[in-house]
Amino acid sequence: MHLNHTNGFTTNQLEKVKKALKMTTIKSCAYIVIFLFCGTLVSFNCYNKETVAEPLIGKWVLTHFYPTKKDTFKFKELATFQIESAGMTSGFLGCNKFRTECKTHRDSIHFGTILSSRKFCKKEYMDLEDKFKSTLSIATIYTIQDNTLILFDGKTKLAAFKKQ
């Protein structure tokens, strides 16, 4: 049995201790990395749950769809929606009520799945509702100027709303 000068351990014992320490260090580092990753996810998730941009909060009334030459809808002023600070959005489409979720980040906007009542109405109301819902579902960017909200799909203007 060969004794090492380090604390009276044999060479085999010393090697086993080194391996155990090495594995413990690797495991500790792995746990630290996982802990930091989870902490980052939690903080990022909390950051993304921030409220909607202040200027968006309130009631909006549809004024027109783009291009305006093709906007032949009557009763547009009946199509309204309210955005709450937590992002919940509800509105009236001229015949049916709807609810969805609104998320924003800088100038980007996203409306979730639109849930609506299912009353059947005159064709002009139903057409307006279909156009309104499709506009919200494809909107990706917004701007607000002079109390007018304009929704875009990329660079394409979709609709304009006046704040009430």
mmCIF file of all heavy atoms in Angstrom, residues 9-10 19 63 66 69 110 127 141 144 146 148 154 159:
data_model
loop_
_atom_site.group_PDB
_atom_site.id
_atom_site.type_symbol
_atom_site.label_atom_id
_atom_site.label_comp_id
_atom_site.label_asym_id
_atom_site.label_seq_id
_atom_site.Cartn_x
_atom_site.Cartn_y
_atom_site.Cartn_z
ATOM 1 N N PHE A 9 -3.452 9.639 2.790
ATOM 2 C CA PHE A 9 -4.324 8.874 1.904
ATOM 3 C C PHE A 9 -3.480 8.030 0.974
ATOM 4 O O PHE A 9 -2.390 8.413 0.571
ATOM 5 C CB PHE A 9 -5.193 9.797 1.035
ATOM 6 C CG PHE A 9 -6.306 10.463 1.774
ATOM 7 C CD1 PHE A 9 -6.287 11.818 2.027
ATOM 8 C CD2 PHE A 9 -7.394 9.727 2.202
ATOM 9 C CE1 PHE A 9 -7.306 12.440 2.692
ATOM 10 C CE2 PHE A 9 -8.423 10.333 2.869
ATOM 11 C CZ PHE A 9 -8.391 11.709 3.130
ATOM 12 N N THR A 10 -4.028 6.911 0.570
ATOM 13 C CA THR A 10 -3.370 6.129 -0.467
ATOM 14 C C THR A 10 -3.662 6.793 -1.799
ATOM 15 O O THR A 10 -4.553 7.627 -1.924
ATOM 16 C CB THR A 10 -3.902 4.680 -0.501
ATOM 17 O OG1 THR A 10 -5.263 4.707 -0.867
ATOM 18 C CG2 THR A 10 -3.694 3.975 0.817
ATOM 19 N N LYS A 19 -12.289 12.389 -7.806
ATOM 20 C CA LYS A 19 -13.412 12.126 -8.708
ATOM 21 C C LYS A 19 -14.730 12.574 -8.079
ATOM 22 O O LYS A 19 -15.578 13.172 -8.716
ATOM 23 C CB LYS A 19 -13.492 10.636 -9.072
ATOM 24 C CG LYS A 19 -12.538 10.204 -10.136
ATOM 25 C CD LYS A 19 -12.761 8.741 -10.485
ATOM 26 C CE LYS A 19 -11.781 8.267 -11.532
ATOM 27 N NZ LYS A 19 -11.994 6.871 -11.882
ATOM 28 N N THR A 63 -63.964 53.727 -37.114
ATOM 29 C CA THR A 63 -64.303 54.820 -38.038
ATOM 30 C C THR A 63 -64.238 54.361 -39.489
ATOM 31 O O THR A 63 -65.104 54.722 -40.278
ATOM 32 C CB THR A 63 -63.371 56.038 -37.839
ATOM 33 O OG1 THR A 63 -62.004 55.637 -38.004
ATOM 34 C CG2 THR A 63 -63.588 56.660 -36.473
ATOM 35 N N TYR A 66 -59.348 50.131 -44.103
ATOM 36 C CA TYR A 66 -58.507 50.498 -45.251
ATOM 37 C C TYR A 66 -58.522 49.362 -46.249
ATOM 38 O O TYR A 66 -58.624 48.211 -45.846
ATOM 39 C CB TYR A 66 -57.074 50.767 -44.782
ATOM 40 C CG TYR A 66 -56.955 52.013 -43.951
ATOM 41 C CD1 TYR A 66 -56.876 51.932 -42.563
ATOM 42 C CD2 TYR A 66 -56.926 53.271 -44.543
ATOM 43 C CE1 TYR A 66 -56.754 53.072 -41.787
ATOM 44 C CE2 TYR A 66 -56.803 54.416 -43.772
ATOM 45 C CZ TYR A 66 -56.721 54.305 -42.393
ATOM 46 O OH TYR A 66 -56.603 55.436 -41.636
ATOM 47 N N LYS A 69 -61.522 53.253 -50.058
ATOM 48 C CA LYS A 69 -62.351 53.144 -51.270
ATOM 49 C C LYS A 69 -63.220 51.885 -51.244
ATOM 50 O O LYS A 69 -64.291 51.847 -51.824
ATOM 51 C CB LYS A 69 -61.478 53.133 -52.528
ATOM 52 C CG LYS A 69 -60.801 54.452 -52.801
ATOM 53 C CD LYS A 69 -59.914 54.359 -54.019
ATOM 54 C CE LYS A 69 -59.189 55.666 -54.231
ATOM 55 N NZ LYS A 69 -58.267 55.613 -55.359
ATOM 56 N N HIS A 110 -51.150 42.242 -30.380
ATOM 57 C CA HIS A 110 -51.675 40.915 -30.722
ATOM 58 C C HIS A 110 -52.970 40.695 -29.960
ATOM 59 O O HIS A 110 -53.022 40.885 -28.748
ATOM 60 C CB HIS A 110 -50.670 39.818 -30.358
ATOM 61 C CG HIS A 110 -51.219 38.444 -30.527
ATOM 62 N ND1 HIS A 110 -51.380 37.861 -31.763
ATOM 63 C CD2 HIS A 110 -51.683 37.552 -29.625
ATOM 64 C CE1 HIS A 110 -51.918 36.651 -31.598
ATOM 65 N NE2 HIS A 110 -52.109 36.451 -30.314
ATOM 66 N N ASP A 127 -71.453 40.901 -42.094
ATOM 67 C CA ASP A 127 -70.269 41.236 -42.888
ATOM 68 C C ASP A 127 -69.329 42.156 -42.102
ATOM 69 O O ASP A 127 -68.106 41.980 -42.131
ATOM 70 C CB ASP A 127 -70.667 41.891 -44.207
ATOM 71 C CG ASP A 127 -71.344 40.928 -45.168
ATOM 72 O OD1 ASP A 127 -71.256 39.695 -44.946
ATOM 73 O OD2 ASP A 127 -71.983 41.408 -46.133
ATOM 74 N N ILE A 141 -49.254 45.574 -35.648
ATOM 75 C CA ILE A 141 -48.647 46.845 -35.250
ATOM 76 C C ILE A 141 -49.755 47.864 -35.046
ATOM 77 O O ILE A 141 -50.799 47.794 -35.704
ATOM 78 C CB ILE A 141 -47.650 47.340 -36.323
ATOM 79 C CG1 ILE A 141 -46.508 46.333 -36.474
ATOM 80 C CG2 ILE A 141 -47.102 48.726 -36.000
ATOM 81 C CD1 ILE A 141 -45.558 46.631 -37.604
ATOM 82 N N ILE A 144 -51.003 55.416 -32.493
ATOM 83 C CA ILE A 144 -52.058 56.290 -31.985
ATOM 84 C C ILE A 144 -51.629 57.720 -32.246
ATOM 85 O O ILE A 144 -50.544 58.141 -31.833
ATOM 86 C CB ILE A 144 -52.300 56.084 -30.475
ATOM 87 C CG1 ILE A 144 -52.743 54.656 -30.204
ATOM 88 C CG2 ILE A 144 -53.332 57.087 -29.958
ATOM 89 C CD1 ILE A 144 -52.904 54.332 -28.729
ATOM 90 N N ASP A 146 -53.578 61.689 -32.372
ATOM 91 C CA ASP A 146 -54.780 62.505 -32.200
ATOM 92 C C ASP A 146 -55.991 61.667 -31.795
ATOM 93 O O ASP A 146 -57.056 61.781 -32.398
ATOM 94 C CB ASP A 146 -55.086 63.288 -33.491
ATOM 95 C CG ASP A 146 -53.946 64.200 -33.896
ATOM 96 O OD1 ASP A 146 -53.302 64.771 -32.996
ATOM 97 O OD2 ASP A 146 -53.691 64.322 -35.112
ATOM 98 N N THR A 148 -56.654 58.690 -32.370
ATOM 99 C CA THR A 148 -57.034 57.731 -33.405
ATOM 100 C C THR A 148 -56.064 56.558 -33.373
ATOM 101 O O THR A 148 -54.847 56.735 -33.483
ATOM 102 C CB THR A 148 -57.024 58.380 -34.810
ATOM 103 O OG1 THR A 148 -57.936 59.474 -34.810
ATOM 104 C CG2 THR A 148 -57.416 57.387 -35.884
ATOM 105 N N GLY A 154 -48.196 44.397 -40.601
ATOM 106 C CA GLY A 154 -46.929 44.826 -41.190
ATOM 107 C C GLY A 154 -47.033 46.298 -41.542
ATOM 108 O O GLY A 154 -47.329 47.133 -40.691
ATOM 109 N N ALA A 159 -57.371 49.259 -40.205
ATOM 110 C CA ALA A 159 -58.555 49.957 -39.719
ATOM 111 C C ALA A 159 -58.156 51.102 -38.810
ATOM 112 O O ALA A 159 -57.070 51.115 -38.250
ATOM 113 C CB ALA A 159 -59.477 48.989 -38.974
#
